[in-house]
């Protein structure tokens, strides 16, 4: 297996250079910023996943898609993001980056007539605190001057998951048609699929509030620390239906596929433990010394209600074995919503409303004249919707566009045929949250996902 060194160096560079902490004040509420759970290919399509089934991409959001996997697949991604906060008087920019997901997928029981199974497991982030906010409040006492509040949040929740998908395909029906004086065979089939994921949510979130008097010489700072540990099980279910048409002419095949899909994560309660510590500290630059412990509350247990999520979508694809003469494409649309108004938990819940997003996406694969080099895919998506946060009585808008491409990693005469489906998926997401509020958050998310496919796994070899 030979992949270009350039791609490995790019991944290393992406991970090592994007180390600063992004500052997102809207992540202060609830469980923080909710991270997308889409992988490489879907990231370039605005996250559409309900009706996006392919044989070489892992789709966590709809586990019914696992039954489409044709090869052993390993998918890993790295991301970076830059956030610019704007208010009528100020502007601030920060950045961040890290690994974003790691997943495996495998087909199994492929020899059963009309039936097929697939499974996947992996690790992905769920949400996180990412903020550092300073608020200055004047007092009526000239000796005290101004009270400065510094709100700091850090921590990430993760989910490790495992899932299985199953599909049933009806017998193929053939009809003979004359197309431009040539006899072609038109085949059709119906494909039904279902799937389920089970995941374990875990991690810690820490919020700190400093209260100090910068105008008062040698004053102490009060520090309030709240640490929350989360642990619980989650599930999501998926279904899919595909109507597939195949036109056969000589040795060439054209495929027309309609796909309909939906998935849901039911409302569920997970366990949480919270500890509270209130101290006086003396700060000296980045160092602080505890001078007095005012109050300590040991871990107290409770429940965190995570709301239900629903999404549904439709897509239409045309692809062909005649890659020299015909372009290929996929069109997709998706609607998703989460009932965040029902969220309850330890952390400051703020004021939440039900979030929703509508997405339109297209993937285009131009024809190629090189049999040894698979074609590059180009992706474009746009979305609009509402964030879950309500600030000053206004539910924040969230809209943006996504660009993406899929570049083959394995090509050329020296590459083993089993690795020819491996690809690097790049994406750039530009969006704005809170454009209808006093503080808007313009975000630039970008990243690379590496989908490594090996069709040689689980083969039975015979000794001569």
């Amino acid at each position: 297996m030979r992949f270009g060194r350039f791609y490995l160096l790019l991944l290393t560079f992406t991970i090592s250079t994007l180390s600063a902490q992004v500052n997102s004040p809207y992540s202060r509420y609830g469980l923080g910023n909710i991270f997308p759970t889409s992988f490489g290919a879907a990231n370039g399509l605005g996250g559409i996943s309900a009706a996006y089934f392919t044989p070489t991409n892992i789709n966590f959001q709809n586990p019914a898609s696992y039954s489409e996997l044709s090869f052993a697949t390993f998918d890993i991604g790295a991301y970076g993001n830059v956030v610019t906060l704007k208010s009528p008087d100020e502007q601030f920019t920060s950045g961040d980056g890290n690994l974003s997901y790691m997943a495996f997928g495998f087909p199994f029981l492929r020899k059963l007539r009309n039936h097929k199974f697939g499974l996947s497991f992996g690790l992905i982030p769920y949400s996180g605190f990412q903020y550092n906010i300073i608020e200055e409040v004047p007092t009526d006492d000239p000796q005290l001057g101004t009270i400065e509040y510094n709100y700091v949040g850090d921590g990430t929740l993760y989910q490790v998951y495992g899932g299985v998908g199953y599909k049933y395909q009806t017998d193929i029906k053939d009809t003979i048609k004359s197309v431009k004086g040539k006899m072609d065979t038109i085949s059709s089939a119906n494909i039904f699929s279902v799937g389920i994921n089970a995941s374990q949510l875990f991690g810690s979130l820490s919020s700190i509030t400093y209260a100090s008097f910068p105008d008062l010489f040698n004053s102490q700072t009060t520090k309030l620390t709240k640490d929350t540990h989360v642990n619980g099980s989650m599930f999501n279910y998926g279904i899919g239906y595909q109507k597939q048409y195949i036109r056969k002419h000589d040795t060439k095949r054209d495929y027309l596929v309609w796909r309909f899909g939906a998935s849901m994560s039911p409302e569920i309660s997970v366990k949480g433990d919270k500890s509270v510590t209130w101290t006086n500290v003396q700060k000296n630059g980045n160092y602080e010394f505890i001078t007095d412990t005012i109050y300590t509350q040991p871990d107290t247990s409770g429940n965190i209600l995570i709301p239900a999520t629903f999404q549904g979508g439709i897509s239409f694809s045309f692809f062909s074995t005649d890659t020299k003469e015909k372009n290929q494409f996929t069109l997709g649309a998706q609607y998703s919503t989460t009932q965040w108004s029902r969220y309850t938990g330890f952390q400051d819940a703020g004021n939440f409303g039900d979030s929703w997003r509508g997405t339109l996406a297209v993937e285009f694969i131009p024809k190629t004249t090189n049999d040894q080099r698979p074609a590059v895919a180009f992706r474009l998506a746009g979305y609009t919707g509402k964030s879950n946060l309500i600030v000053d009585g206004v539910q924040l808008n969230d809209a943006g566009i996504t660009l993406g491409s899929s570049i083959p990693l394995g090509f050329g005469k020296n590459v083993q045929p089993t690795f020819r489906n491996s690809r690097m998926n790049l994406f750039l997401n530009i969006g704005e949250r809170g454009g209808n509020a006093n503080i808007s958050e313009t975000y630039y998310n970008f990243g690379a996902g590496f989908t490594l496919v090996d069709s040689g796994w689980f083969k039975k070899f015979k000794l001569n």
Side-chain angles (χ1 to χ4, degrees):
M1 179 179 182
R2 296 183 180 180
F3 296 129
R5 293 183 179 180
F6 166 77
Y7 302 118
L8 298 180
L9 288 174
L10 177 63
L11 175 61
T12 303
F13 177 80
T14 302
I15 297 171
S16 61
T17 57
L18 298 170
S19 57
Q21 177 71 39
V22 73
N23 190 0
S24 175
Y26 291 138
S27 71
R28 181 184 175 190
Y29 304 103
L31 296 176
N33 279 335
I34 307 299
F35 298 129
T37 53
S38 54
F39 296 165
N43 281 336
L45 292 168
I48 67 167
S49 56
Y52 187 68
F53 298 179
T54 73
T56 56
N57 290 297
I58 301 172
N59 178 2
F60 165 80
Q61 291 180 315
N62 190 341
S65 65
Y66 300 155
S67 60
E68 285 295 315
L69 292 173
S70 297
F71 312 103
T73 304
F74 172 61
D75 206 340
I76 187 170
Y79 78 93
N81 60 355
V82 176
V83 174
T84 298
L85 303 172
K86 294 181 181 179
S87 69
D89 303 320
E90 296 181 85
Q91 179 173 315
F92 176 78
T93 300
S94 60
D96 189 16
N98 211 327
L99 290 175
S100 53
Y101 62 87
M102 180 174 63
F104 298 84
F106 307 94
F108 67 99
L109 298 179
R110 289 179 291 182
K111 294 184 178 181
L112 294 177
R113 177 178 172 82
N114 301 108
H115 305 273
K116 186 180 175 184
F117 292 84
L119 63 86
S120 177
F121 57 90
L123 174 69
I124 54 178
Y126 178 80
S127 69
F129 278 177
Q130 299 172 301
Y131 63 88
N132 190 337
I133 310 164
I134 295 178
E135 178 186 17
E136 295 182 347
V137 179
T139 68
D140 296 331
D141 190 333
Q143 292 184 345
L144 293 178
T146 300
I147 301 178
E148 181 180 278
Y149 296 100
N150 185 194
Y151 307 99
V152 180
D154 190 23
T156 304
L157 300 183
Y158 298 90
Q159 52 182 330
V160 57
Y161 79 92
V164 62
Y166 160 77
K167 77 173 183 180
Y168 169 75
Q169 178 174 318
T170 61
D171 291 331
I172 296 177
K173 298 180 179 180
D174 293 335
T175 58
I176 306 298
K177 291 187 178 181
S178 176
V179 180
K180 296 182 179 180
K182 298 180 180 180
M183 302 305 294
D184 289 349
T185 301
I186 308 297
S187 303
S188 64
N190 297 299
I191 303 172
F192 304 89
S193 54
V194 295
I196 182 173
N197 280 323
S199 60
Q200 186 70 19
L201 183 68
F202 66 95
S204 301
L205 300 172
S206 177
S207 61
I208 301 174
T209 302
Y210 294 97
S212 60
F213 299 89
D215 299 329
L216 191 62
F217 177 72
N218 203 28
S219 65
Q220 293 193 62
T221 298
T222 301
K223 177 182 179 182
L224 176 62
T225 304
K226 298 179 181 179
D227 292 319
T228 301
H229 307 277
V230 179
N231 196 333
S233 299
M234 301 172 62
F235 302 90
N236 70 303
Y237 312 93
I239 59 173
Y241 167 72
Q242 302 179 64
K243 183 66 175 182
Q244 179 176 276
Y245 299 93
I246 307 174
R247 183 173 65 185
K248 305 175 185 177
H249 179 71
D250 297 330
T251 60
K252 299 176 182 178
R253 302 287 187 271
D254 292 340
Y255 298 84
L256 297 172
V257 185
W258 284 97
R259 298 185 180 95
F260 304 87
S263 64
M264 71 161 297
S265 300
E267 180 178 281
I268 197 165
S269 181
V270 299
K271 293 182 179 180
D273 295 318
K274 182 180 71 171
S275 63
V276 178
T277 305
W278 196 358
T279 59
N280 285 333
V281 298
Q282 190 76 41
K283 298 189 70 175
N284 183 10
N286 293 327
Y287 297 94
E288 59 183 49
F289 308 93
I290 297 177
T291 59
D292 186 23
T293 299
I294 303 173
Y295 174 79
T296 299
Q297 177 185 330
D299 289 347
T300 57
S301 299
N303 293 323
I304 298 173
L305 184 68
I306 296 180
T309 296
F310 306 89
Q311 61 180 11
I314 181 175
S315 69
F316 173 74
S317 297
F318 169 79
F319 54 98
S320 174
T321 58
D322 187 9
T323 57
K324 287 186 177 182
E325 299 294 333
K326 297 179 179 179
N327 299 317
Q328 305 177 65
F329 64 88
T330 296
L331 302 174
Q334 178 171 294
Y335 176 82
S336 59
T337 182
T338 303
Q339 297 176 331
W340 279 106
S341 60
R342 292 183 53 80
Y343 169 82
T344 57
F346 283 139
Q347 299 296 337
D348 182 3
N351 192 5
F352 282 179
D354 296 342
S355 63
W356 65 270
R357 172 178 288 190
T359 306
L360 295 174
V362 58
E363 179 181 67
F364 178 72
I365 304 175
K367 56 189 176 182
T368 178
T369 58
N370 189 342
D371 290 334
Q372 298 296 326
R373 186 183 182 108
V376 175
F378 300 93
R379 298 167 179 140
L380 172 65
Y383 60 88
T384 186
K386 291 287 187 180
S387 168
N388 57 356
L389 281 177
I390 299 176
V391 178
D392 295 330
V394 177
Q395 188 167 0
L396 304 185
N397 291 334
D398 190 7
I401 61 171
T402 300
L403 305 172
S405 65
S406 179
I407 303 172
L409 290 174
F411 56 84
K413 295 181 179 180
N414 296 325
V415 175
Q416 298 179 31
T418 56
F419 301 119
R420 290 190 181 277
N421 291 304
S422 298
R423 287 178 170 265
M424 177 172 66
N425 296 290
L426 304 175
F427 79 94
L428 170 64
N429 170 215
I430 304 173
E432 182 183 59
R433 178 168 61 166
N436 55 337
N438 290 330
I439 299 179
S440 65
E441 186 179 82
T442 302
Y443 52 86
Y444 304 85
N445 301 323
F446 52 93
F450 293 82
T451 304
L452 309 181
V453 177
D454 183 0
S455 61
W457 285 38
F458 306 118
K459 282 188 175 181
K460 294 182 179 180
F461 296 93
K462 297 181 179 180
L463 295 177
N464 295 325

